[in-house]
């Protein structure tokens, strides 16, 4: 099954791509061997991040439109925040990008964070690898927009686009350290609003130290709803991706993922229901000590 699925993915079959993502998300038997068989993908990944309400989805919609007119195949991952209680999500990006769901050159997948920190999905690296095997020319990942905690996108994306609006002066100042670290391109969206020019100018001044470190961060003004400034943004992304390398931050992200996978494999022998049952009994006693319980359970499987 998995071999046939991979061949269909390589042929660009959207149904096969969707099925593979679902099987990996649900950890179906054989998914690890399937992931190990994936070819090393080279499709550039553009991350779209920034505070809520900045227009990330509208900007993504405009980028899809531009690239498809050039005959490119585009894959989009839209990550929405999950409820901390039932792990469900609104997945509202489906509404904003509804024009593309039947387009033969566009694949869109909405994902919930499922409680994952960093504004992404717990299987984002695996899902991106599947898309890179699917013959796409561009991959866009739009994050949930939770602010400075979205550092993870910088490790995954080849180019990280940070979207802000002219009114976000104080907010940008608050998030300055995190944004300066992850931004490869700044987009001042909704730049038809008052003070957009002054805001963009101040943003360039704030980034002066970054220029001294030989990292040129472009500031692009757009009105995504009117498709204004999109060509300049596409050019800035393309120029940045001419110098793609395996950066230190990407190595750190991969290190974290390797650590998580090893920890998950080591935890397989432990049954959470069994832990729960034993805690029900032990936690009510006066002698209960959480750390002693963990020590005993991890060594014997019983506390």
């Amino acid at each position: 099954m998995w071999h046939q699925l991979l061949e269909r993915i390589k042929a660009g079959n959207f149904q096969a791509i969707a099925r593979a993502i679902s099987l990996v998300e649900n950890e179906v038997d054989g998914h690890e061997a399937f992931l190990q068989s994936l070819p090393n993908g080279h499709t550039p990944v553009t991350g779209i991040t920034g505070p809520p309400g900045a227009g990330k989805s509208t900007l993504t919609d405009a980028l899809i439109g531009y690239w498809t007119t050039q005959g490119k195949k585009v894959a989009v991952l839209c990550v929405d925040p999950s409820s901390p209680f039932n792990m469900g999500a609104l997945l509202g990006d489906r509404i904003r990008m509804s024009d593309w769901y039947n387009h033969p050159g566009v694949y869109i997948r909405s994902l919930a964070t499922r409680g994952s920190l960093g504004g992404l999905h717990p299987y984002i690296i695996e899902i991106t690898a599947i898309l890179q095997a699917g013959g796409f020319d561009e991959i866009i990942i739009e994050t949930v927009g939770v602010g400075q905690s979205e550092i993870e996108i910088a490790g995954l994306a080849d180019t990280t686009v940070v979207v802000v609006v002219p009114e976000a002066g104080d907010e940008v100042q608050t998030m300055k350290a995190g944004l300066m670290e992850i931004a490869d391109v700044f987009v001042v969206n909704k730049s038809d609003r008052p003070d957009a020019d002054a805001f963009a100018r101040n943003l360039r001044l704030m980034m002066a130290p970054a220029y001294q470190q030989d990292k040129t961060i472009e500031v692009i003004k757009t009105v995504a709803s009117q498709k204004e400034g999109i060509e300049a943004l596409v050019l800035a992304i393309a120029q940045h991706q001419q110098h793609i390398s395996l950066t230190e931050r990407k190595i750190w992200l991969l290190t974290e993922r390797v650590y998580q996978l090893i920890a998950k494999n080591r935890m397989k022998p432990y049954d959470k229901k069994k832990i729960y049952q034993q805690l029900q009994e032990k936690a009510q006693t006066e002698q209960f000590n959480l750390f002693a319980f963990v020590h005993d359970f991890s060594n014997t499987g019983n506390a």
Side-chain angles (χ1 to χ4, degrees), residues 141-153:
I141 299 176
E142 183 199 327
T143 67
V144 300
V146 292
Q148 195 168 333
S149 65
E150 290 189 335
I151 305 301
E152 196 171 309
I153 187 62

Side-chain angles (χ1 to χ4, degrees), residues 105-121:
V106 179
Y107 176 81
I108 299 176
R109 178 84 174 209
S110 293
L111 303 168
T113 57
R114 297 189 177 188
S116 175
L117 298 177
L120 294 177
H121 182 277

Side-chain angles (χ1 to χ4, degrees), residues 5 9 13-28 57 60 64 74-81 89-95 97-98 100-103 105-114 119-121 123-124 126-128 130-131 136 138-144:
L5 196 61
I9 289 170
N13 185 290
F14 285 6
Q15 289 181 324
I17 292 169
R19 177 159 175 73
I21 291 173
S22 295
L23 291 173
V24 168
E25 278 188 297
N26 294 313
E27 300 183 359
V28 172
S57 296
T60 300
I64 297 170
V74 183
V76 184
L77 295 176
C78 303
V79 187
D80 274 352
L90 178 60
L91 304 178
D93 294 312
R94 290 183 179 276
I95 301 168
M97 300 179 201
S98 57
W100 303 109
Y101 275 91
N102 293 319
H103 193 287
V106 179
Y107 176 81
I108 299 176
R109 178 84 174 209
S110 293
L111 303 168
T113 57
R114 297 189 177 188
L120 294 177
H121 182 277
Y123 280 101
I124 195 73
E126 291 87 341
I127 293 172
T128 302
I130 293 170
L131 293 177
F136 292 100
E138 302 284 349
I139 296 173
I140 302 172
I141 299 176
E142 183 199 327
T143 67
V144 300

